[in-house]
Amino acid sequence: CVILDVQAACQNASVTQELLKEGFHRDLLVKVELGVVGEDAGGCTVAARIHLPPGIYVDPYELASLQQHNLTKAMLTPDVIDVEAPEYLATDLLVLLYMEPDPRCSRCFRAALPVHGRYHRPAEESEEALVVLKSPELLVCCCDNRLSAECWKRAEVEAPCSGKNNGPCQWYSVTHKPASEESILQVPVGFRQHSSLVCVVTLLAAVLCSSLILAAVCKYGHFS
């Protein structure tokens, strides 16, 4: 492990986040640069603690598949998530996203996380609901180094420093300057005045499909 110039890191650490793609299924790209002068960040693990509001979530089954193929590493709190719940019945979610070193920059880290928008209540006028995603908290764990500076504060996080270490370690919350205070996810919503029409069309479609299935069973089914 190396000993970081924590004062420099405090002054120059930066975090940027970007929502990629369109619609309900997006990728959240997080980039971190530690402001270290004269040294790199070798031996340190960097993570972003992201607060997801009820309007957006991570699919735990999709995340498990990505982690199995070493494409990403993250921890969810809570770890049981109702992926079918609409926004008004869902709860907040905390994600600890482990960052990977950027080979093009010795002080840079990055990671991508698939996120999904939840269905919202129909709106009166707007065609979109806005989900505000605040800038993540930056956490650093540097092996056995004792970091003592005003900008490095002990974080109450019970999580291993890396996938190779099964035991918890001491994380530090790093003061940083976000490129923007928040990101906004625009989720398509329906118009409330169309609710009656949607219910009628859905009912007719269900009756029609049920009738076709019943007709096919009666025509081709074998009954003893």
Side-chain angles (χ1 to χ4, degrees), residues 39-55:
E39 301 179 65
D40 61 24
C44 292
T45 299
V46 179
R49 185 158 60 174
I50 306 168
H51 172 257
L52 297 182

Side-chain angles (χ1 to χ4, degrees), residues 95-118:
V95 182
L96 184 66
L97 178 63
Y98 290 84
M99 314 296 292
E100 293 292 333
D102 189 335
R104 297 168 297 181
C105 172
S106 61
R107 305 185 303 269
C108 301
F109 300 80
R110 59 186 292 157
L113 181 71
V115 296
H116 308 275
R118 292 188 183 274

Side-chain angles (χ1 to χ4, degrees), residues 136-209:
E137 179 185 2
L138 178 58
L139 300 174
V140 176
C141 174
C142 293
C143 298
D144 297 328
N145 290 329
R146 298 182 180 273
L147 304 177
S148 57
E150 292 183 357
C151 59
W152 295 73
K153 298 181 180 179
R154 286 177 175 265
E156 299 297 328
V157 179
E158 294 185 1
C161 274
S162 67
K164 298 179 181 179
N165 180 10
N166 294 324
C169 65
Q170 180 58 63
W171 290 90
Y172 288 85
S173 179
V174 182
T175 303
H176 66 278
K177 183 179 297 184
S180 60
E181 292 295 335
E182 58 188 31
S183 299
I184 297 179
L185 171 67
Q186 297 177 321
V187 180
V189 297
F191 288 110
R192 187 169 300 172
Q193 56 266 34
H194 295 165
S195 299
S196 299
L197 177 61
V198 171
C199 291
V200 171
V201 172
T202 302
L203 178 61
L204 292 177
V207 171
L208 176 61
C209 294

Side-chain angles (χ1 to χ4, degrees), residues 68-91:
Q68 185 178 6
H69 293 87
N70 294 322
L71 297 178
T72 191
K73 179 173 175 56
M75 294 180 61
L76 305 179
T77 305
D79 54 1
V80 178
I81 302 171
D82 185 355
V83 299
E84 301 294 337
E87 179 269 341
Y88 49 88
L89 294 179
T91 57

Side-chain angles (χ1 to χ4, degrees), residues 123-141:
E124 291 288 352
E125 299 179 356
S126 176
E127 296 182 358
E128 295 178 325
L130 303 182
V131 180
V132 178
L133 188 61
K134 295 183 178 180
S135 180
E137 179 185 2
L138 178 58
L139 300 174
V140 176
C141 174

